[in-house]
Amino acid sequence: MLRGVGLRKVFKTGLFGGKRIVAVDGVSIEIEEGETVALVGESGSGKSTLGRILLMLIRPDEGKVFFDGIDLTKLRGKELKRVRIKMQLIPQNPEEALDPRWRIYDSIAEPLRIHKLVDKSEEEDRILELVKAVGLKEEHLTRYPWQLSGGELQRAVIARALALNPRFIVCDEPTSMLDLSTQASIVRLLMKFQKMFGISYLFITHDLELAKVVADRILIMRSGKIVARRVESPS
Amino acid sequence: MEVVAFRMGIFRNTLCTLGLGIIVFIALMGLLAPIIAGDPYKTNMSERLKPPSLKHLFGTDQLGRDVYSRIVWGARTTLLVALTISIISMTVGCLLGAIAGYFGGIVDDVIGRIIDTFLAIPELVFNIALVGIFCVAYGTSIWNVILAVVVTNWVSYARVMRSIVLSLKEREFVICEKALGAGDWYILLRHVIPNALGPIIVLATLNMGNVIMTISSLGFLGLGVQPPTPEWGQMINAGKNYITTAPWLTFFPGLFIALSVLGFNLLGEGLQEVIGRKRLVE
Amino acid sequence: MLKVEELRVHFRTEFGVVRAVDGVSFEVERGEKFTLIGESGSGKSVLAQSILRLLPKNAYVSGRIIFEGRNLLELGEEEMRRIRGRKIAWIPQSQSSLNPVLTVGLQCAEPVMEHFKTDKKSALLKVARMFEFFGMGRGRISDYPHQFSGGMRQRVLVAMGISADPEFLIADEPTKGLDASKRKNIAELFEKIDKTMLIITHDLEFAERVSDRIAVMYCGEVVEISPAKEFFREPLHPYSKGLLESLPSRGLKPIIGFQPSMINPPSGCRFRERCEFAKKICERAPPESIVDGRIVRCWMYAERGWA
Ligand SMILES: Nc1ncnc2c1ncn2[C@@H]1O[C@H](COP(=O)(O)OP(=O)(O)OP(=O)(O)O)[C@@H](O)[C@H]1O
Ligand SMILES: Nc1ncnc2c1ncn2[C@@H]1O[C@H](COP(=O)(O)OP(=O)(O)OP(=O)(O)O)[C@@H](O)[C@H]1O
Ligand code: SF4
Ligand SMILES: [Mg+2]
Ligand SMILES: [Mg+2]
């Protein structure tokens, strides 16, 4: 369903772009319908960058991304927007992922409003249902992001990513701020959605144990390259 | 709730309270002018150049007009003109700066070049030249002054806005908006600009002081608001010939110019402190 | 060194009063590493922020926080500022506390300069050495936060927190988003630093390794305080047991449900609705019992009433 071919991304930093950081270095990756691929690897190895390239949030310097056979690197504006309904991101830093001036409810409702998918009354039902599923309560919805705990924010961001019923989600360390029990509930919720709607996940994590439980395949990344691929027996 | 907390912060800050007090005082003067002051245009040749007294609090001028009334009505003129200038230049500057910062590339190069050029020219000299040109082209009108000041004034907003937007667009929440499928203009108008408004409000407050100075200077040079409309700078100009014999003609307009500039600067400094601290707490 | 007594932090919100911390008492001794674990949203970070007096304005704090003989809640803002950073350092949970328009190196150098009264150059040198220790190349100190990966920013936060060499360190999830080898680095570092620490974490492996005592929070209350070794051998409170059972390696079995609302917490034992051992008596608030020197708040361990 999703395929990245020969992806490469070099960041230039320093005053005049003098320093070069090769974040992703010739990666090819393929994710099937309803499959979970775990991406593990040390910090700074380029996992988040790869995830963002697959979602076209960063344009790769080289390589192509195909979604259902369409080359995403060629799309612009409106066409890209239409594809984005189907692919979402659970970002790594939930504290930075929401507009600090927006209430949680509006932030979660935003994707539905942007794509004009549901009307007002439906919107509220849908959001309450999502929010309950991730273990938040109505009382959290009227608050601003800084009035929530780290883990609560992370779950709000997960609810937002699920709101559009996407077919592919890049989960960038979706449980890094959660206690073990809540982590288990959320991972189970993601797996349930996968069964119900056939979602595919790219699951970025540092926890190899967790990766073994959730993933069909595990990719290991080091300095921008995928250095190992493992198939996990279904658990 | 946020608004309440914000307001509490403002009143707990001495600078803010003081500045706001002065501004409210002057704004009330302007608002209530018809009630608290007499006719600023009424001449009375038998009462020329009278020193301050109970009848004429600030004395009378060379045409026998009540200086107090002219000062009070002058507050209205000055604030209205300054506010118009600020609103127009803020809108233009913020939009251009935000567009330059957000879209980058050629747009940014062009806008950036314009900003640099304007920054290199001494502001007041340019204002004077522009008023001159506009006067010749369109005849005397208050809009000449407004336009001339806007032409140089938007630049500071654009510069600040551009740099804020440059750092905001790297923030994760903006990237997440893209992931949701939001368009560039939507992100710019709904997320980026609102989040940049804090520093812009500070800038606008501090800038009001500058604008008042500029209007008064133009008035003093005889290029600003034209007589008989009461305006402080122009009043100083008219009074400078009598500076030894009737110093109140220059003293009171000067005092009120200084007071209003001080008010906006105090409020600006105070707001800067409050907003800075608020960021820390968050 | 730090003594928290009957601490309560309440937030006023549109939906009612959030009792984020509700009657918490504990003591951290000099040189001890005291770790708080517990459900997401149970009030751990709020507790830490109340020690530093960094809570937003809608917070109402009562109780006592005694640090080196003085009640922090009664100090003036000026005195508090002197204590923050110099005596008590804080590694915040949120990475948004990094300044987006300042290079990372300068941000780390600031506390060093202030504390050791050195110039910018030697402070930056020290920061560069620290970056190397954390596996991030010296050259990166002139980059901005958004140019770092999530785990790198986390390491920057840790570096910033320990750079001023404080007497008391509050570390809020210092290992989140880090891979195993970097977590080990930080654990080793924490073991080596001979300072008093209050650590908040969800990373139980890390907690087991560095901490002397563990406190478990649930819904605004501390439900168990135990020495770390004994805690991981055999947790007492049913919530603690459930937490350890949810490890991915043990099959990812969550405790059913989520933490209840903190606006209207259930009466009696707050864990009641999710507890597999719950009985009638649990509708009354459980007393604090002491079992082998371990403190636990559950009827199961009460002298009377369970059987
Ligand atoms: N916008 C950027 N500008 C410059 N360098 C960047 C940028 N984004 C990422 N990098 C660099 O690219 C490399 C890979 O970053 P990436 O965020 O993909 O790592 P990661 O594998 O997700 O790590 P972590 O587990 O710590 O999140 C890092 O060295 C990082 O500093
Ligand atoms: N400013 C605030 N206003 C209202 N409620 C708040 C505020 N700050 C925190 N809370 C609430 O207080 C509770 C405790 O939050 P806290 O941040 O301490 O949780 P935590 O234990 O650190 O959780 P996590 O592990 O998820 O970070 C949460 O339910 C949160 O929603
Ligand atoms: S008091 Fe009762 S409900 Fe609460 S934890 Fe103990 S056994 Fe469970
Ligand atoms: Mg990452
Ligand atoms: Mg927390």
Side-chain angles (χ1 to χ4, degrees):
Chain A
M1 184 190 67
L2 185 99
R3 197 151 56 88
V5 186
L7 297 168
R8 186 179 155 84
K9 178 75 197 175
V10 181
F11 287 112
K12 298 193 178 67
T13 71
L15 254 188
F16 303 103
K19 280 182 292 175
R20 291 157 44 90
I21 298 166
V22 185
V24 174
D25 191 5
V27 168
S28 296
I29 184 172
E30 196 164 344
I31 299 167
E32 300 295 335
E33 189 95 45
E35 187 188 33
T36 304
V37 174
L39 187 60
V40 297
E42 62 184 30
S43 169
S45 56
K47 307 181 293 297
S48 302
T49 309
L50 177 60
R52 286 180 181 188
I53 290 176
L54 293 179
L55 296 176
M56 274 302 115
L57 297 172
I58 299 177
R59 290 200 175 260
D61 297 332
E62 281 170 33
K64 288 189 173 5
V65 179
F66 297 95
F67 185 80
D68 284 341
I70 307 167
D71 183 356
L72 296 186
T73 52
K74 293 223 175 74
L75 299 188
R76 310 253 151 205
K78 280 246 159 56
E79 297 161 328
L80 200 53
K81 181 174 167 182
R82 221 169 304 129
V83 180
R84 288 226 159 107
I85 303 182
K86 298 182 203 142
M87 37 198 256
Q88 285 296 310
L89 170 71
I90 298 174
Q92 184 170 12
N93 285 9
E95 346 52 340
E96 274 274 280
L98 300 180
D99 188 328
R101 305 174 64 92
W102 283 39
R103 290 175 195 264
I104 302 299
Y105 180 89
D106 293 314
S107 282
I108 298 180
E110 198 179 9
L112 296 173
R113 291 178 187 167
I114 290 175
H115 297 286
K116 303 195 181 62
L117 286 184
V118 294
D119 57 39
K120 263 258 151 8
S121 58
E122 259 179 276
E123 174 190 294
E124 201 167 329
D125 294 342
R126 173 119 186 87
I127 287 173
L128 282 180
E129 178 195 348
L130 277 168
V131 155
K132 295 242 162 69
V134 296
L136 295 181
K137 308 194 170 50
E138 249 181 293
E139 65 195 54
H140 295 116
L141 292 176
T142 54
R143 296 198 203 149
Y144 291 95
W146 49 276
Q147 294 175 317
L148 255 56
S149 85
E152 287 164 347
L153 266 179
Q154 188 151 45
R155 287 177 275 158
V157 172
I158 292 174
R160 170 154 98 155
L162 293 172
L164 286 176
N165 254 330
R167 289 180 48 212
F168 169 60
I169 307 182
V170 173
C171 311
D172 200 346
E173 303 191 32
T175 58
S176 59
M177 307 257 231
L178 300 178
D179 62 280
L180 289 174
S181 163
T182 312
Q183 162 173 305
S185 308
I186 294 295
V187 168
R188 286 192 174 275
L189 179 77
L190 289 175
M191 288 159 91
K192 191 177 108 195
F193 271 68
Q194 180 165 49
K195 281 224 182 67
M196 280 162 59
F197 305 111
I199 313 178
S200 318
Y201 295 120
L202 179 69
F203 199 96
I204 303 176
T205 180
H206 284 298
D207 188 339
L208 204 58
E209 292 297 328
L210 183 59
K212 280 181 190 158
V213 180
V214 298
D216 304 305
R217 283 185 296 138
I218 299 182
L219 307 180
I220 297 174
M221 209 165 165
R222 187 174 306 139
S223 352
K225 291 196 175 74
I226 288 178
V227 293
R229 296 166 193 260
R230 279 191 358 212
V231 179
E232 283 304 315
S233 51
S235 54
Chain B
M1 193 157 50
E2 200 185 30
V3 177
V4 174
F6 189 62
R7 204 162 51 205
M8 273 162 48
I10 285 182
F11 284 121
R12 222 174 285 156
N13 185 298
T14 336
L15 291 181
C16 274
T17 321
L18 215 66
L20 206 61
I22 297 175
I23 295 169
V24 167
F25 171 69
I26 292 177
L28 278 180
M29 258 170 65
L31 269 177
L32 302 179
I35 302 169
I36 60 172
D39 183 355
Y41 299 110
K42 206 177 106 209
T43 56
N44 185 347
M45 286 307 173
S46 59
E47 297 225 7
R48 294 173 65 226
L49 300 172
K50 284 276 174 337
S53 66
L54 270 183
K55 192 171 167 218
H56 298 289
L57 269 181
F58 296 167
T60 59
D61 67 4
Q62 68 284 3
L63 297 176
R65 293 176 298 196
D66 182 28
V67 174
Y68 166 74
S69 299
R70 289 184 67 74
I71 292 272
V72 172
W73 283 93
R76 188 177 260 211
T77 321
T78 306
L79 284 186
L80 271 182
V81 175
L83 216 58
T84 315
I85 292 175
S86 284
I87 290 172
I88 299 177
S89 28
M90 186 157 92
T91 317
V92 174
C94 285
L95 264 179
L96 285 179
I99 290 170
Y102 188 81
F103 291 101
I106 299 176
V107 188
D108 186 23
D109 286 342
V110 173
I111 297 177
R113 204 54 57 80
I114 299 176
I115 292 177
D116 288 343
T117 315
F118 274 99
L119 282 178
I121 304 172
E123 227 172 282
L124 191 58
V125 178
F126 197 41
N127 290 147
I128 294 170
L130 281 173
V131 177
I133 296 171
F134 291 158
C135 276
V136 173
Y138 308 111
T140 54
S141 142
I142 187 75
W143 287 99
N144 290 346
V145 182
I146 294 176
L147 268 183
V149 181
V150 165
V151 166
T152 54
N153 199 45
W154 67 274
V155 182
S156 54
Y157 289 101
R159 198 171 49 108
V160 172
M161 195 66 180
R162 179 178 171 273
S163 68
I164 302 173
V165 170
L166 272 182
S167 83
L168 271 176
K169 82 167 174 185
E170 302 289 354
R171 291 272 294 274
E172 202 136 329
F173 76 84
V174 173
I175 295 171
C176 289
E177 290 302 326
K178 280 191 197 147
L180 295 181
D184 282 328
W185 283 100
Y186 173 90
I187 298 178
L188 195 60
L189 293 175
R190 297 297 298 276
H191 292 283
V192 175
I193 292 182
N195 272 291
L197 281 187
I200 291 292
I201 286 172
V202 174
L203 178 68
T205 318
L206 291 171
N207 189 254
M208 271 294 274
N210 291 349
V211 171
I212 291 178
M213 276 305 278
T214 311
I215 299 171
S216 308
S217 308
L218 288 175
F220 177 75
L221 294 171
L223 294 166
V225 181
Q226 292 303 312
T229 315
E231 192 273 327
W232 299 336
Q234 167 232 103
M235 283 167 74
I236 299 184
N237 180 32
K240 71 177 187 295
N241 299 333
Y242 308 93
I243 196 147
T244 46
T245 51
W248 56 90
L249 288 188
T250 43
F251 173 76
F252 287 109
L255 178 74
F256 277 88
I257 293 173
L259 205 61
S260 40
V261 173
L262 182 76
F264 281 108
N265 281 355
L266 284 179
L267 181 65
E269 298 282 338
L271 280 179
Q272 204 155 21
E273 275 179 24
V274 173
I275 289 177
R277 203 176 51 222
K278 208 167 139 245
R279 229 198 96 74
L280 274 186
V281 170
E282 282 175 17
Chain C
M1 183 153 189
L2 177 84
K3 196 165 166 193
V4 175
E5 288 172 3
E6 276 301 306
L7 183 70
R8 274 167 223 278
V9 183
H10 293 184
F11 295 104
R12 199 170 280 172
T13 68
E14 284 155 58
F15 267 82
V17 176
V18 178
R19 299 169 192 204
V21 177
D22 213 10
V24 164
S25 307
F26 62 86
E27 201 170 332
V28 185
E29 271 145 44
R30 192 171 282 278
E32 187 184 30
K33 302 201 167 54
F34 189 84
T35 299
L36 277 175
I37 62 175
E39 187 100 352
S40 162
S42 58
K44 305 180 295 297
S45 303
V46 168
L47 175 64
Q49 277 160 279
S50 64
I51 296 174
L52 289 149
R53 295 253 312 266
L54 285 174
L55 287 169
K57 290 200 185 78
N58 64 339
Y60 293 81
V61 187
S62 69
R64 275 147 54 91
I65 300 175
I66 315 280
F67 178 73
E68 295 186 327
R70 285 193 295 175
N71 186 355
L72 294 185
L73 295 181
E74 284 166 0
L75 293 187
E77 183 53 34
E78 194 48 48
E79 255 173 304
M80 207 50 223
R81 211 168 341 204
R82 240 172 290 146
I83 288 182
R84 260 180 239 139
R86 210 162 302 176
K87 293 209 157 170
I88 307 182
W90 180 41
I91 300 174
Q93 180 177 24
S94 160
Q95 297 182 350
S96 52
S97 45
L98 289 172
N99 185 343
V101 293
L102 215 58
T103 64
V104 184
L106 279 181
Q107 287 183 61
C108 289
E110 233 163 62
V112 179
M113 266 154 37
E114 198 166 309
H115 187 79
F116 297 104
K117 304 267 175 289
T118 54
D119 58 87
K120 200 156 122 187
K121 214 166 157 198
S122 53
L124 277 176
L125 202 72
K126 193 174 146 111
V127 172
R129 269 204 299 273
M130 211 139 53
F131 269 45
E132 226 152 55
F133 174 83
F134 283 117
M136 292 190 284
R138 254 161 207 265
R140 303 294 307 254
I141 60 171
S142 54
D143 286 350
Y144 293 89
H146 76 264
Q147 297 175 323
F148 279 56
S149 80
M152 287 170 160
R153 276 196 295 261
Q154 183 56 38
R155 284 174 269 166
V156 170
L157 283 183
V158 175
M160 216 147 90
I162 61 167
S163 63
D165 203 22
E167 291 164 41
F168 186 74
L169 178 68
I170 299 177
D172 202 342
E173 298 198 30
T175 60
K176 70 168 181 303
L178 293 177
D179 55 81
S181 76
K182 262 106 201 165
R183 280 208 294 262
K184 215 172 102 204
N185 267 351
I186 292 188
E188 274 162 14
L189 184 74
F190 276 25
E191 278 171 333
K192 208 173 67 195
I193 312 179
D194 196 20
K195 294 279 155 46
T196 319
M197 289 188 197
L198 177 66
I199 300 164
I200 297 171
T201 189
H202 291 308
D203 178 354
L204 295 187
E205 221 172 292
F206 178 76
E208 182 168 15
R209 179 146 181 200
V210 299
S211 36
D212 300 313
R213 277 194 303 155
I214 303 266
V216 183
M217 272 188 90
Y218 184 79
C219 200
E221 295 178 328
V222 167
V223 294
E224 176 171 356
I225 302 181
S226 291
K229 272 211 197 77
E230 293 163 38
F231 178 83
F232 286 103
R233 196 176 327 121
E234 199 215 341
L236 293 181
H237 196 276
Y239 171 71
S240 319
K241 290 188 210 284
L243 193 62
L244 291 184
E245 279 305 309
S246 325
L247 272 169
S249 53
R250 294 189 194 172
L252 215 59
K253 287 192 296 274
I255 307 170
I256 37 162
F258 293 100
Q259 176 176 286
S261 159
M262 286 183 131
I263 291 177
N264 305 303
S267 62
C269 175
R270 293 186 179 177
F271 189 55
R272 198 178 67 211
E273 283 151 11
R274 304 169 68 188
C275 178
E276 49 181 319
F277 308 103
K279 282 191 184 178
K280 183 96 180 104
I281 193 164
C282 303
E283 284 164 26
R284 297 202 338 245
E288 221 170 59
S289 327
I290 298 183
V291 185
D292 302 333
R294 302 164 67 175
I295 299 170
V296 56
R297 194 189 280 263
C298 168
W299 278 111
M300 257 178 13
Y301 302 93
E303 267 173 35
R304 256 189 301 273
W306 184 251

